[in-house]
Amino acid sequence: MDENLLKVISLRKQNYCSSKYLYNLIPGEETVREEPDGTRYEEVLVDSGPEFEELWWGSEEYAEKARAKMMNTGTDEFGAIRGEFIPYNTILPVLAAVLWEYDEQSSSTVGQTEFSNTLRQWYWSAVFSQDYSGSSDTAMGKDFRDWKSWLYDGQEIEQIAKVDEEFIDDIDLATEDKGTGRYNAVICLLALNGAEDFYKGRTLGTGDFTEGGINDHHIFPKKVSELPAETSTNFDRFKDSILNRTLILDETNNKIKNSKPSNYLEEMESRHEGRDEVRRLLRKHFITEEAYQYLQDDDFDNFIREREQEIKRQLKERI
């Protein structure tokens, strides 16, 4: 975390954050800077220890604001209700630096609504582009510089332009298993959509789930048996895919165990007094009317195909 705080400061002070640039933050250290036209000059980025301390506490404040925005489920937040659901930790320094830059800028005419909308577009684009997987210092610096150009000059943020409808259509969500950034991002979208527990009807994007109680469980249980052979040809290949996962309480998952969807849907209908309420609840999990029918038929292949289209539609709305 300390290195992330240094990266927040580095982005604000010099628009870059790879390790070699962090040494330029030593108080009194002279560094060689370069103008866009190639002109070089020397500059001290941080004059003194007290200035560095002020920057440090500012970085901590905005890193916490960024963490809260990533992990809460409000209108302008990003839904990672547990730390393990954060798509990429490397996004945090950029998000913190952008929030800090916006709060302290004086020459931009961008209003709060426009800023919030653009921030949402950028965040989901950055996640699904996968530019923040692996070594991402280059992407972090590029995105922050683009943000400043947008704030002060109205120039395009390339990250947002990159992830258009065609890009989303080409994503293969069936291959996204637990642990990938895109997998976690879909879990976050479920929390933001107000997904409710299958049996208790409890909204799962609220409350404290740090220590457990809720998880990303299989819709078609991993060890389910007696699925129709002709409509489960892809089960072994894609059973762990995000297309077969959603948020439910651990308690509910333990009750469902290895039941076929057609069986536990009967229990849901009994608990929720009919199919209309079950349909409403399942829509919160990106399960359309068509996908609901496929669950009733224990039709895995068509279920994941239909659910992928719905998840992509939801993502397009976010971006």
Side-chain angles (χ1 to χ4, degrees), residues 39-300:
T39 303
R40 293 191 165 200
Y41 62 96
E42 290 188 349
E43 182 181 15
V44 175
L45 295 177
V46 182
D47 288 329
S48 64
E51 182 186 356
F52 179 85
E53 186 174 12
E54 184 177 352
L55 288 167
W56 180 266
W57 294 120
S59 177
E60 184 182 73
E61 175 187 352
Y62 280 92
E64 170 56 21
K65 287 183 178 181
R67 184 210 61 78
K69 184 174 280 288
M70 291 173 78
M71 297 188 70
N72 288 319
T73 56
T75 302
D76 295 321
E77 295 166 331
F78 304 130
I81 56 176
R82 294 178 64 172
E84 67 197 70
F85 296 151
I86 293 174
Y88 298 110
N89 289 321
T90 47
I91 291 180
L92 186 144
V94 185
L95 180 58
V98 169
L99 293 172
W100 196 356
E101 185 74 28
Y102 181 74
D103 281 354
E104 292 203 349
Q105 53 80 25
S106 57
S107 59
S108 173
T109 59
V110 175
Q112 182 63 54
T113 299
E114 184 181 3
F115 174 73
S116 296
N117 288 340
T118 304
L119 192 67
R120 184 185 66 248
Q121 290 178 294
W122 166 79
Y123 179 85
W124 294 112
S125 296
V127 168
F128 279 90
S129 74
Q130 298 184 313
D131 285 350
Y132 284 77
S133 61
S135 178
S136 53
D137 288 341
T138 300
M140 294 163 72
K142 172 68 166 61
D143 276 7
F144 183 71
R145 294 191 297 275
D146 278 4
W147 264 103
K148 291 181 70 174
S149 295
W150 178 80
L151 278 171
Y152 301 117
D153 302 318
Q155 295 184 19
E156 182 180 69
I157 297 176
E158 188 176 315
Q159 188 69 254
I160 295 175
K162 178 190 301 184
V163 183
D164 57 14
E165 289 198 16
E166 183 179 358
F167 185 101
I168 294 170
D169 285 337
D170 288 341
I171 294 173
D172 183 6
L173 290 177
T175 61
E176 299 294 340
D177 291 346
K178 190 176 180 70
T180 69
R182 287 174 175 173
Y183 177 104
N184 285 343
V186 174
I187 294 296
C188 295
L189 289 172
L190 286 162
L192 290 172
N193 203 47
E196 300 170 10
D197 182 65
F198 281 3
Y199 281 0
K200 292 197 169 185
R202 175 181 170 189
T203 301
L204 300 172
T206 57
D208 181 6
F209 299 109
T210 302
E211 299 302 323
I214 182 176
N215 240 307
D216 45 331
H217 293 297
H218 294 77
I219 299 172
F220 281 74
K222 192 171 184 177
K223 296 183 179 180
V224 66
S225 59
E226 299 181 354
L227 292 178
E230 64 276 11
T231 57
S232 57
T233 59
N234 287 309
F235 181 73
D236 287 340
R237 184 181 177 192
F238 296 135
K239 62 186 176 183
D240 294 322
S241 164
I242 187 56
L243 301 178
N244 188 39
R245 305 292 280 266
T246 197
L247 290 170
I248 60 174
L249 294 170
D250 292 341
E251 177 185 344
T252 296
N253 184 63
N254 290 334
K255 289 177 180 177
I256 290 174
K257 292 185 178 179
N258 298 321
S259 298
K260 293 188 295 186
S262 58
N263 291 338
Y264 70 73
L265 281 173
E266 291 180 4
E267 177 66 18
M268 289 177 68
E269 290 164 7
S270 173
R271 288 172 177 261
H272 298 294
E273 299 183 349
R275 290 187 175 183
D276 287 345
E277 178 61 15
V278 172
R279 287 189 180 97
R280 183 203 65 80
L281 187 154
L282 290 178
R283 282 196 293 272
K284 297 283 189 179
H285 294 261
F286 305 147
I287 296 173
T288 64
E289 180 67 29
E290 291 82 359
Y292 174 47
Q293 185 61 56
Y294 294 138
L295 284 180
Q296 290 181 311
D297 296 338
D298 298 319
D299 182 341
F300 179 83

